[in-house]
Amino acid sequence: MLGPTAHIDTFTRDNLPPADQWPAFLLDGFQYPDHLNAAVELTDRMVDQGFGDHTALIGNGRQRTYKELSDWTNRLAHALVEDYGVKPGNRILIRSANNPAMVACWLAATKAGAVVVNTMPMLRAGELSKIVDKAEIGLALCDTRLMDEMVACAKDSAFLGKVIGFDGTANHDAELDRIALSKSVRFEAVKTGRDDVALLGFTSGTTGVPKATMHFHRDLLIIADGYAREVLGVTPDDVFVGSPPLAFTFGLGGLAIFPLRFGATATLLENASPPNMIEIIETYKATISFTAPTAYRAMMKAMDEGADLSSLRVAVSAGETLPGPVFEEWVAKTGKPILDGIGATEMLHIFISNRFEDMKPASTGKAVGGYEARVVDDAMNEVPRGTVGRLAVRGPTGCRYMADDRQRNYVRDGWNLTGDSFRQDEDGFFHFAARSDDMIVSAGYNIAGPEVEAALLAHDEVVECAVIGAPDADRGQIVEAYVVLVKGVAGDALTVKRLQDHVKSMIAPYKYPRSVRFVEALPKTQTGKIQRFRLRVERTQ
């Protein structure tokens, strides 16, 4: 039974999946009052608890205390309500790289009772349009340095009526900032319900058709009060650093919710390359790092050249499987743990993890407190230990797709089926085997093959194509495209470059095929369906 709602615009609650398609929610130990605003808990409440002078956010050359963050977000919330007519339940899209202004906009919109959709700065207008249409978004807040694609999206949108610029640098000199400057630092936040949707996390899935995962105000606190408290043991002395975009729920948790929930400090990097992360770690003595194995490899090479990472007390690895050798080398070089874990946009954050006192190389760990996990067959029966099967999980968070028939595929018998194949060993540790579908996971990014294929097919030199994930030592996988060219076009390096540049211009650049192979024909069934599995088999022979 859902608790009370403060949403005047009831779109998200109206589009929750039917009750009989929900996973089981295990909420013992995660009790919250009927009315709860997650943004208030992460700002104003922290000031009330005596953290006002503690540094909350560091980024773009400035540090902001909890009191400054509270005041800033209250001013912005006033502007959203008074000048832009935001009503509780309205959806607001935010487009920005990782910086304090993005966090402030997210918190302000949440205080105003809006449902926030954080998006990655690399998305193109066409990709943004799918999100806008799905969530019927009327207002977007955009870093002024990234306006072009957002404006192009709004130009042809039936829903997006207004794009407001904010300054993602430390200057605070854009429309939203100037309006907020004259507002009061006190704001009566909307008394949202704990079961009101606060966040829509979009995930493309293997089809490339976006799915919106719906997360309540209580969910945003659960991941901190569960995983961050139990596994990471976060304290106010911690300083967080990481590479995941705030638009990913992994990044939003690790670089905003977790530190702010415990009075700690978040450092935010617009370009979170390993060298930039190392500089932040050395400068601010960061203690908790969130990134993918690829980056940890680069950081270890930097250590050989004199980089000082001794302040880190824990490294969290997610986004792709942590290879055993990387785990062992990190521990040998730093004397500190590197904790592999698995999360999902549908589950909001990490639900299986290694722990300081209980870890195993090349394993993903055990279920986080409050969660249950098992490996099952297609009939949902638990398989014997050591047998590969489908990962099923349930706990205090779970999948709620917005108005999407794919809810039936993700949730069965009250369990969330993550789309991963795992095995569980005799000691209870879970070990990743493979994705159960055709999702390509490259350097922590989920890439849908059909979306890349569609971009390639839009090039006039491509007759047909197929995209698979190819093994890669550094990235886990890379996007590999098999392309049939128009007659007379040379299958040479120049053509590879043209096709790669074309894909980068059509969709987010990280999705481009790093490997392009030209073929005379693609393997197909008698009915003409491309057999991608044969491409995977053939490349290993």
Side-chain angles (χ1 to χ4, degrees):
M1 178 71 73
L2 290 172
T5 180
H7 284 183
I8 295 168
D9 179 346
T10 62
F11 175 85
T12 50
R13 187 163 281 202
D14 293 343
N15 283 286
L16 285 164
D20 62 354
Q21 293 179 23
W22 284 38
F25 286 96
L26 312 179
L27 293 169
D28 285 350
F30 298 99
Q31 301 303 315
Y32 302 93
D34 284 350
H35 293 281
L36 179 75
N37 188 303
V40 172
E41 298 300 316
L42 299 176
T43 55
D44 306 33
R45 194 78 66 237
M46 300 308 295
V47 174
D48 294 343
Q49 292 175 13
F51 291 98
D53 292 334
H54 282 228
T55 301
L57 302 177
I58 297 173
N60 283 344
R62 285 190 57 176
Q63 300 188 27
R64 293 161 176 85
T65 65
Y66 276 85
K67 178 63 167 67
E68 289 170 333
L69 180 60
S70 178
D71 292 351
W72 186 11
T73 55
N74 286 341
R75 289 181 191 272
L76 289 169
H78 273 295
L80 292 175
V81 173
E82 296 162 9
D83 293 79
Y84 301 113
V86 170
K87 300 287 191 294
N90 288 168
R91 276 77 58 217
I92 293 180
L93 183 148
I94 301 176
R95 174 176 170 81
S96 176
N98 285 12
N99 55 51
M102 181 182 186
V103 173
C105 286
W106 162 61
L107 291 166
T110 304
K111 283 184 174 182
V115 178
V116 178
V117 181
N118 291 315
T119 61
M120 289 208 309
M122 289 186 284
L123 296 185
R124 305 300 190 193
E127 294 162 308
L128 291 166
S129 294
K130 291 178 183 178
I131 292 170
V132 167
D133 291 348
K134 178 92 174 178
E136 298 187 7
I137 296 168
L139 174 66
L141 307 180
C142 184
D143 188 321
T144 51
R145 296 168 293 172
L146 299 167
M147 290 289 272
D148 289 354
E149 296 288 340
M150 197 74 253
V151 170
C153 168
K155 186 178 179 183
D156 300 317
S157 176
F159 299 104
L160 188 55
K162 191 77 173 171
V163 177
I164 310 300
F166 67 87
D167 190 343
T169 74
N171 296 326
H172 298 310
D173 188 25
E175 179 182 344
L176 181 62
D177 309 295
R178 291 191 289 269
I179 289 174
L181 198 59
S182 63
K183 303 296 185 183
S184 169
V185 297
R186 296 188 177 276
F187 177 76
E188 187 66 35
V190 173
K191 291 181 170 58
T192 42
R194 69 180 176 218
D195 298 333
D196 275 334
V197 177
L199 182 76
L200 293 179
F202 272 82
T203 177
S204 63
T206 54
T207 64
V209 178
K211 296 178 292 232
T213 63
M214 312 175 80
H215 302 294
F216 295 169
H217 281 263
R218 75 174 188 218
D219 299 333
L220 302 187
L221 301 185
I222 283 171
I223 61 173
D225 296 344
Y227 169 78
R229 188 190 304 274
E230 175 207 351
V231 176
L232 302 182
V234 182
T235 75
D237 295 328
D238 279 312
V239 178
F240 286 70
V241 66
S243 63
L246 291 166
F248 288 175
T249 56
F250 178 50
L252 189 69
L255 298 176
I257 295 172
F258 295 172
L260 296 179
R261 182 61 167 165
F262 298 102
T265 302
T267 63
L268 298 169
L269 286 163
E270 293 188 348
N271 176 15
S273 64
N276 288 350
M277 284 184 59
I278 290 166
E279 182 183 357
I280 289 288
I281 293 167
E282 292 180 330
T283 302
Y284 297 105
K285 306 303 179 191
T287 60
I288 299 178
S289 170
F290 279 82
T291 192
T294 310
Y296 286 122
R297 283 179 171 171
M299 290 161 72
M300 284 189 288
K301 286 180 183 176
M303 288 177 68
D304 294 336
E305 297 166 5
D308 180 8
L309 307 184
S310 60
S311 63
L312 286 180
R313 68 177 184 85
V314 59
V316 177
S317 176
E320 62 189 70
T321 302
L322 177 68
V326 177
F327 172 96
E328 289 162 352
E329 185 182 354
W330 181 269
V331 173
K333 282 190 171 176
T334 67
K336 310 283 181 61
I338 183 167
L339 300 182
D340 195 11
I342 182 174
T345 307
E346 288 83 357
M347 304 296 294
L348 189 56
H349 215 272
I350 291 172
F351 51 82
I352 294 176
S353 177
N354 280 285
R355 292 160 170 78
F356 297 137
E357 70 288 347
D358 193 21
M359 64 179 78
K360 183 180 285 192
S363 97
T364 311
K366 298 177 181 177
V368 170
Y371 291 90
E372 298 174 357
R374 58 175 56 169
V375 180
V376 301
D377 60 21
D378 289 341
M380 294 299 292
N381 300 308
E382 190 166 8
V383 300
R385 295 289 172 98
T387 304
V388 173
R390 305 174 73 183
L391 181 66
V393 61
R394 62 186 182 185
T397 63
C399 179
R400 309 178 197 91
Y401 286 141
M402 186 180 75
D404 201 309
D405 290 339
R406 289 170 288 187
Q407 178 77 14
R408 295 178 184 274
N409 301 329
Y410 203 94
V411 177
R412 282 185 59 191
D413 299 342
W415 292 82
N416 300 275
L417 293 171
T418 66
D420 300 284
S421 295
F422 268 76
R423 64 178 175 84
Q424 189 176 16
D425 66 25
E426 293 299 331
D427 298 322
F429 286 86
F430 288 87
H431 299 260
F432 177 78
R435 283 292 296 174
S436 303
D437 54 30
D438 290 328
M439 180 66 77
I440 300 164
V441 183
S442 180
Y445 290 102
N446 287 343
I447 301 168
E451 190 178 22
V452 183
E453 291 171 1
L456 282 167
L457 287 169
H459 196 284
D460 57 14
E461 293 177 344
V462 175
V463 175
E464 58 182 359
C465 63
V467 165
I468 64 170
D472 181 76
D474 291 327
R475 294 176 168 267
Q477 286 183 308
I478 58 169
V479 176
E480 183 166 83
Y482 289 77
V483 176
V484 179
L485 292 170
V486 170
K487 209 168 202 178
V489 176
D492 56 19
L494 287 175
T495 304
V496 169
K497 179 74 163 52
R498 279 200 305 278
L499 295 181
Q500 289 174 328
D501 289 345
H502 170 74
V503 172
K504 289 178 186 178
S505 73
M506 293 281 293
I507 57 178
Y510 68 84
K511 300 175 183 177
Y512 85 94
R514 292 174 182 271
S515 170
V516 177
R517 297 188 177 198
F518 298 111
V519 293
E520 293 295 321
L522 296 173
K524 296 176 182 175
T525 64
Q526 289 184 336
T527 58
K529 186 174 181 180
I530 296 172
Q531 296 174 309
R532 290 172 183 80
F533 72 92
R534 284 181 55 188
L535 295 174
R536 296 189 193 95
V537 171
E538 288 168 7
R539 80 175 316 284
T540 62
Q541 293 176 344

